Amino acid sequence: METISVSTDDKQGFYDITDRVQSAVNASGVIEGICLVFCPHTTAGVTLNENWDKSVQHDLAVGLNEISPPRSEYRHGEGNSPAHLKSSLMGAAQVVPIDAGDLVLGRWQGIYICEFDGPRTRKIHVRVLEG
Amino acid sequence: METISVSTDDKQGFYDITDRVQSAVNASGVIEGICLVFCPHTTAGVTLNENWDKSVQHDLAVGLNEISPPRSEYRHGEGNSPAHLKSSLMGAAQVVPIDAGDLVLGRWQGIYICEFDGPRTRKIHVRVLEG
Amino acid sequence: METISVSTDDKQGFYDITDRVQSAVNASGVIEGICLVFCPHTTAGVTLNENWDKSVQHDLAVGLNEISPPRSEYRHGEGNSPAHLKSSLMGAAQVVPIDAGDLVLGRWQGIYICEFDGPRTRKIHVRVLEG
């Protein structure tokens, strides 16, 4: 298992880790299989989305803020409940097929760590399985 | 790895691909393992939900339109940011256990490709692992 | 494959099954690999989130009720369409890496079954793969 470290620089943002996940796949030597990308944090997540126009990432952030704003009924003392909900909405784990040694992603599809309560240093675990 | 092709016929809709995923499991010969169902598109997704009453699919579409409407702050030029957000909310990957050669789904549970920016021809990759 | 049974005691709630999933990993004897946690229900789900302050679970429930309220346009006769949507938003499957025989979770991260249409008896399938 390989672990990627990402230093986020804002309260909320999306960071493209596709190349680093592909490097972990290369290091594993696996040609056919699957790749698990796992976020061990509860105010961050992992998602797949467009990697071409950066305004898509902007718009995802805007949309998630509308879906998960601060709410007066929230009780969690740290005040980051909107981030916890966004984390579960995006998900902690993504699984991508590997074919001929490459992640099988769409032409405009990248793998993103989603920061919802930064800036922080985040870890992402990458586990590659043959089969 | 097998690839399923689905021609969607509307802007938004849910298409049951359970039988085709099961066929890919059959073709793999795997008896015990897992099945990865992966969507390489960023304005579509994959989800598991009820396959008995079609009004559930209608209601999922209604609810997602309320959660992810067009917003004036969106910048992405193609105008399909609501679809990009829905894609990340549903997810690009689902993993289903295989037991005795069959997908282990609940009695009313089907595998759906979710179209959010159609009509288009969409691909779904199916990767089966033994274990 | 092991199956965990959980009796939920309310309409909506989050139930920590981390220890029971770890027991299934132990029983499998797998040291390095992945663990699939799968929910075969369409008005429940599985998610990973904070296991330390129980008010996070309260706040997730509050936030999901705001995101997926009853809507007059819903057609599904059982009246539980908000639960079906929450199920797809949280997801039916989570995958967690295994290292040195242990689930690789963050310090405050637990595995939860999410009940959205209880109380009921729910099943969760756990499949462990080596690799």
Side-chain angles (χ1 to χ4, degrees):
Chain A
M1 191 170 71
E2 249 184 73
T3 301
I4 293 170
S5 180
V6 177
S7 293
T8 65
D9 56 7
D10 207 346
K11 176 82 174 176
Q12 180 163 291
F14 296 81
Y15 300 83
D16 190 336
I17 57 171
T18 312
D19 290 349
R20 298 176 71 185
V21 176
Q22 178 64 53
S23 294
V25 172
N26 295 347
S28 75
V30 168
I31 302 302
E32 304 291 320
I34 63 171
C35 178
L36 167 62
V37 184
F38 184 82
C39 172
H41 307 285
T42 60
T43 55
V46 188
T47 196
L48 300 164
N49 219 302
E50 180 172 323
N51 62 6
W52 188 75
D53 178 4
K54 277 188 184 302
S55 62
V56 171
Q57 296 159 44
H58 166 271
D59 294 355
L60 291 176
V62 166
L64 285 168
N65 284 343
E66 293 286 340
I67 289 173
S68 184
R71 298 194 190 276
S72 59
E73 309 94 304
Y74 283 167
R75 294 184 189 157
H76 182 47
E78 292 185 64
N80 58 1
S81 290
H84 283 289
L85 179 54
K86 290 170 184 172
S87 172
S88 280
L89 288 170
M90 293 294 98
Q94 298 291 340
V95 184
V96 182
I98 300 166
D99 198 50
D102 289 325
L103 294 164
V104 182
L105 293 165
R107 195 192 300 188
W108 294 289
Q109 196 177 35
I111 306 172
Y112 289 86
I113 173 165
C114 321
E115 174 62 82
F116 296 125
D117 194 34
R120 301 200 201 191
T121 300
R122 300 294 198 174
K123 288 187 294 186
I124 296 289
H125 302 306
V126 182
R127 165 76 78 186
V128 180
L129 268 85
E130 193 161 17
Chain B
M1 191 169 70
E2 249 185 72
T3 300
I4 292 170
S5 180
V6 178
S7 293
T8 65
D9 55 7
D10 206 346
K11 176 81 174 176
Q12 180 164 291
F14 296 82
Y15 300 82
D16 190 335
I17 57 171
T18 312
D19 290 348
R20 298 175 70 183
V21 176
Q22 179 64 53
S23 294
V25 172
N26 296 347
S28 76
V30 168
I31 303 300
E32 305 290 320
I34 63 171
C35 178
L36 168 62
V37 184
F38 185 82
C39 172
H41 307 285
T42 61
T43 55
V46 187
T47 197
L48 300 164
N49 219 304
E50 180 172 324
N51 61 7
W52 188 75
D53 178 4
K54 278 189 183 303
S55 62
V56 171
Q57 297 158 43
H58 166 271
D59 294 356
L60 291 175
V62 166
L64 285 168
N65 283 342
E66 294 285 339
I67 289 173
S68 184
R71 298 192 190 276
S72 58
E73 311 94 302
Y74 283 167
R75 295 184 189 158
H76 182 47
E78 291 184 65
N80 58 1
S81 290
H84 284 288
L85 179 54
K86 290 171 185 173
S87 172
S88 280
L89 289 170
M90 294 293 98
Q94 299 292 340
V95 185
V96 182
I98 299 166
D99 199 50
D102 288 325
L103 294 165
V104 181
L105 293 165
R107 194 192 302 187
W108 295 288
Q109 196 177 34
I111 307 171
Y112 289 86
I113 174 166
C114 320
E115 174 62 79
F116 297 124
D117 193 34
R120 300 201 202 191
T121 301
R122 301 294 198 173
K123 287 186 296 186
I124 296 288
H125 301 306
V126 181
R127 164 75 80 188
V128 180
L129 268 85
E130 193 159 18
Chain C
M1 191 170 70
E2 248 184 73
T3 301
I4 292 170
S5 180
V6 177
S7 293
T8 65
D9 56 7
D10 206 346
K11 175 83 175 175
Q12 180 163 289
F14 296 81
Y15 299 82
D16 190 336
I17 56 170
T18 312
D19 290 349
R20 298 176 71 184
V21 176
Q22 179 63 53
S23 294
V25 172
N26 295 347
S28 75
V30 168
I31 303 300
E32 306 289 322
I34 63 171
C35 178
L36 167 62
V37 184
F38 184 82
C39 172
H41 306 285
T42 60
T43 55
V46 187
T47 195
L48 299 163
N49 219 304
E50 181 172 323
N51 60 7
W52 188 75
D53 179 3
K54 279 190 183 299
S55 61
V56 171
Q57 296 158 42
H58 166 271
D59 294 357
L60 291 176
V62 166
L64 285 168
N65 284 342
E66 293 285 340
I67 289 174
S68 184
R71 297 193 191 276
S72 58
E73 310 94 303
Y74 284 168
R75 294 184 190 157
H76 182 46
E78 292 185 64
N80 59 1
S81 289
H84 283 288
L85 180 54
K86 291 170 184 173
S87 172
S88 279
L89 289 170
M90 294 294 98
Q94 299 291 340
V95 185
V96 182
I98 300 166
D99 199 49
D102 288 326
L103 293 165
V104 182
L105 293 165
R107 193 192 302 187
W108 293 290
Q109 196 176 34
I111 306 171
Y112 289 87
I113 173 165
C114 320
E115 174 62 79
F116 297 124
D117 194 34
R120 299 200 202 191
T121 300
R122 299 296 198 173
K123 288 187 295 185
I124 296 289
H125 301 306
V126 181
R127 164 77 79 188
V128 180
L129 268 85
E130 194 160 18

